[in-house]
Amino acid sequence: MRFKVVSPADLRPGEVAAWRAIQEDSPEYANPFLGPDFAQAVAAVRPRVCVAVAMEAGDPVAFFPFERGPLGVGHAVGLGVSDCQAVVQRPGAVSEAEPLLRACGLTVWEFDNLVGDTPPFSPFARRLHAAAVMDVSDGYERYKARVSENSRRFLGDMRRFTRKLARDIGDIRFVFEERDPNQLRTLMRWKSEQYRRTGRRDRFAQPWIIELLTRLHRANAGSPVGLLSVLYAGDHPVATHFGLWSERVFATWFPAYDTRFARYSPGMMLYLRMAEEAAGAGVAYMDLARGAGQYKETLKTRDLTVAEGWAALPSAGAMAHWMRRVPVGLAYDTVLKRPYLRQAARQTLNGLGAVRTRWTESPVN
């Protein structure tokens, strides 16, 4: 076994084909966040992105995309916006983390959405998280039946909201693959407003994320396709979503809606329309990613497991990383394990968001 480390842009066509073939043969690696296209798109806007290719008898058998930082501290490609991470490999190709880290020149590799129980990094998981899934593998009608088992009123409410939205605003129109870049800009504006309103960090304040989505949206072929979907009422876009699409998995990513129409639940309408399209295209499931949210509890049919943590070699860089991460991790665990602290944290973020919204909307004297 030998490793070579290259820029994703320098992968040979045969290596890209081998990467895709592993994904096709192994359902656990089917998520489009794990594909060569996502790594190449991030590399175009984040120049420190690399991929380690494991070679055996001259053939590529594993692919490990990563981003290298100072002191040999690396992390997952697109950490913070990447919802799925792994070493994409043939069974048993890379079973130990240390040789891989040394070949990559890394002392630490940090991850936050590692595919559950996949080698060689699963032994280094510090926390496990549930990632909600909308299973549409048996068709849309079967999916709706499963959702109805959890919430009998939900689908009926959605039909009622849809009729009311059509009466009040205009005919409902759904565009599964919207190519208009203006609608992508609308989504990013709505999402930034939501981040500010709820006290969260605005991801679209970072130019590289804007450029990443723009690049993925422009991609018309390959896997993943950056898929923008829009729900219209009359001429008004009322809900939008940008995600990544592959033959087996539709990875949801950035949903947003016009708050003026919130009482109609347009975001939920949009998810149901996307699920119907995904089921018709033969997709196995929609990955809603980790994180709490009532809409996920309503829409999901099951959970996957993803892991958060880091693998490290003995080094000054690893020690510095440990000193930075462990206190934060302990505080995070403390809040998650105590519902009253979790509620207080949410209220604090919402309060900060309200103050920030008022401040940004106030006229400057």
Side-chain angles (χ1 to χ4, degrees), residues 256-269:
Y257 63 91
D258 189 333
T259 55
R260 295 177 299 170
F261 305 104
R263 64 184 180 276
Y264 302 101
S265 297
M268 296 296 252
M269 292 182 200

Side-chain angles (χ1 to χ4, degrees), residues 66-234:
F66 65 94
E67 187 167 351
R68 184 184 288 118
L71 299 176
V73 176
H75 52 74
V77 170
L79 186 72
V81 296
S82 167
D83 289 339
C84 194
Q85 300 135 16
V87 178
V88 178
Q89 59 175 303
R90 294 293 180 191
V94 181
S95 58
E96 296 183 3
E98 182 175 345
L100 178 58
L101 291 177
R102 294 193 184 281
C104 296
L106 298 178
T107 57
V108 176
W109 185 66
E110 184 177 4
F111 52 88
D112 62 356
N113 282 286
L114 185 74
V115 176
D117 200 27
T118 54
F121 293 113
S122 55
F124 301 94
R126 266 63 177 183
R127 282 179 289 274
L128 299 179
H129 303 277
V133 161
M134 298 168 64
D135 192 326
V136 294
S137 59
D138 294 328
Y140 183 61
E141 293 303 318
R142 178 57 185 146
Y143 165 74
K144 288 195 299 181
R146 290 173 180 166
V147 170
S148 295
E149 292 171 4
N150 298 328
S151 176
R152 294 181 180 180
R153 295 182 53 184
F154 170 63
L155 293 177
D157 288 344
M158 285 299 101
R159 288 190 291 269
R160 180 168 55 85
F161 289 152
T162 301
R163 291 193 298 268
K164 183 171 176 53
L165 180 60
R167 283 197 308 268
D168 294 349
I169 308 300
D171 292 340
I172 305 302
R173 179 168 60 94
F174 171 59
V175 180
F176 187 52
E177 186 175 351
E178 176 62 83
R179 304 309 307 173
D180 184 356
N182 290 322
Q183 296 304 329
L184 180 62
R185 287 189 283 270
T186 295
L187 179 149
M188 290 189 281
R189 186 180 76 251
W190 287 348
K191 200 67 182 176
S192 287
E193 291 170 356
Q194 178 192 346
Y195 288 139
R196 291 194 297 270
R197 190 169 62 248
T198 57
R200 270 66 172 182
R201 176 175 57 88
D202 183 2
R203 288 189 170 101
F204 294 112
Q206 301 182 67
W208 74 268
I209 296 179
I210 295 175
E211 178 61 22
L212 174 62
L213 265 66
T214 301
R215 284 177 173 272
L216 288 167
H217 184 230
R218 284 200 301 257
N220 291 313
S223 174
V225 173
L227 185 66
L228 177 66
S229 300
V230 182
L231 187 72
Y232 294 89

